[in-house]
Amino acid sequence: MAEDARIRKTKQKLSSALVALLQEKAFSDISPAQVCERAGVNRSTFYRNYRNLTQLKTEMENRILSGIRWKGESSEATRIRENILSQLAFLRENRDLFLALSTSDTRDNIFEKVRSRAIQVARDAYNRVPDAPSREVYDNLCVFYISAVLGVVSDWFMAGMVQSNESLADFLTPWMVSASEQIGI
């Protein structure tokens, strides 16, 4: 059953409040009361929707992770560049949320979670890759390419996204074409 508009609006207020607070202090220093005050809702409203702050934060992370999609169906440079541009646009559109979820604590860093998920998705695709190298070589190549590309993207993001999406996509496209040719991602 779909959430009604009031529940979605309340959850959005709580999410926005947590994002704002995460830009000011560490997650461990934030209480549900502070989130409620910032959101302008009662604590009972918070607890009707979430058991605790961790559940709210996990929902926010899942929203980010579900928005990151790689259509690895082609090794054609133009298609790969379009995919990269789409993902960079998603990052820009959700800048505040990514920033709030990108703490120095690597356990909480959203980019590390994206990296882990991308590596797992690539590893799961091993049997569908024609002419794949040995499993060990394939796994190492997945880790290498995904870590390299996400490292560049994370650094670009944390430096304020000064470089245009197009410029960064032009830089990353040859890497992703190579990855696509070698490991099918």
Side-chain angles (χ1 to χ4, degrees):
M1 183 163 105
E3 290 180 334
D4 73 23
R6 284 180 315 169
I7 293 172
R8 281 192 308 274
K9 186 175 181 180
T10 298
K11 286 185 169 189
Q12 182 55 46
K13 283 181 178 181
L14 292 167
S15 179
S16 295
L18 182 55
V19 166
L21 288 165
L22 283 169
Q23 292 172 347
E24 298 170 9
K25 55 178 111 180
F27 180 73
S28 60
D29 295 334
I30 299 171
S31 70
Q34 292 169 322
V35 173
C36 292
E37 181 180 332
R38 182 71 62 105
V41 301
N42 295 325
R43 283 202 329 214
S44 61
T45 301
F46 176 88
Y47 287 109
R48 259 195 309 274
N49 292 285
Y50 302 103
R51 286 185 308 278
N52 52 42
L53 283 178
T54 301
Q55 186 182 15
L56 170 58
K57 184 176 175 231
T58 299
E59 183 177 285
M60 293 164 48
E61 290 171 345
N62 288 338
R63 192 172 342 135
I64 288 293
L65 292 172
S66 68
I68 297 173
R69 293 185 179 92
W70 183 259
K71 303 170 196 156
E73 74 276 350
S74 173
S75 61
E76 179 188 330
T78 304
R79 273 241 169 91
I80 288 174
R81 186 176 186 280
E82 289 171 6
N83 284 331
I84 292 169
L85 284 170
S86 172
Q87 295 306 299
L88 296 176
F90 179 77
L91 256 171
R92 276 196 196 271
E93 291 164 13
N94 293 281
R95 182 185 184 280
D96 290 343
L97 183 53
F98 268 96
L99 197 55
L101 297 174
S102 299
T103 66
S104 59
D105 181 357
T106 56
R107 289 174 295 127
D108 288 336
N109 188 312
I110 192 66
F111 285 101
E112 181 57 31
K113 290 179 181 184
V114 168
R115 178 186 167 278
S116 295
R117 182 170 182 219
I119 289 170
Q120 189 57 53
V121 168
R123 285 178 172 159
D124 291 346
Y126 176 74
N127 292 329
R128 296 186 307 270
V129 176
D131 303 321
S134 72
R135 181 64 167 191
E136 181 180 4
V137 170
Y138 179 86
D139 284 352
N140 289 336
L141 286 168
C142 288
V143 170
F144 171 76
Y145 280 114
I146 291 168
S147 297
V149 169
L150 281 174
V152 169
V153 171
S154 175
D155 287 349
W156 166 79
F157 178 83
M158 298 308 277
M161 298 184 288
V162 176
Q163 188 178 11
S164 72
N165 291 9
E166 292 76 14
S167 176
L168 187 57
D170 289 342
F171 175 76
L172 293 174
T173 297
W175 282 87
M176 292 306 297
V177 167
S178 179
S180 179
E181 292 169 349
Q182 289 187 37
I183 57 176
I185 61 171

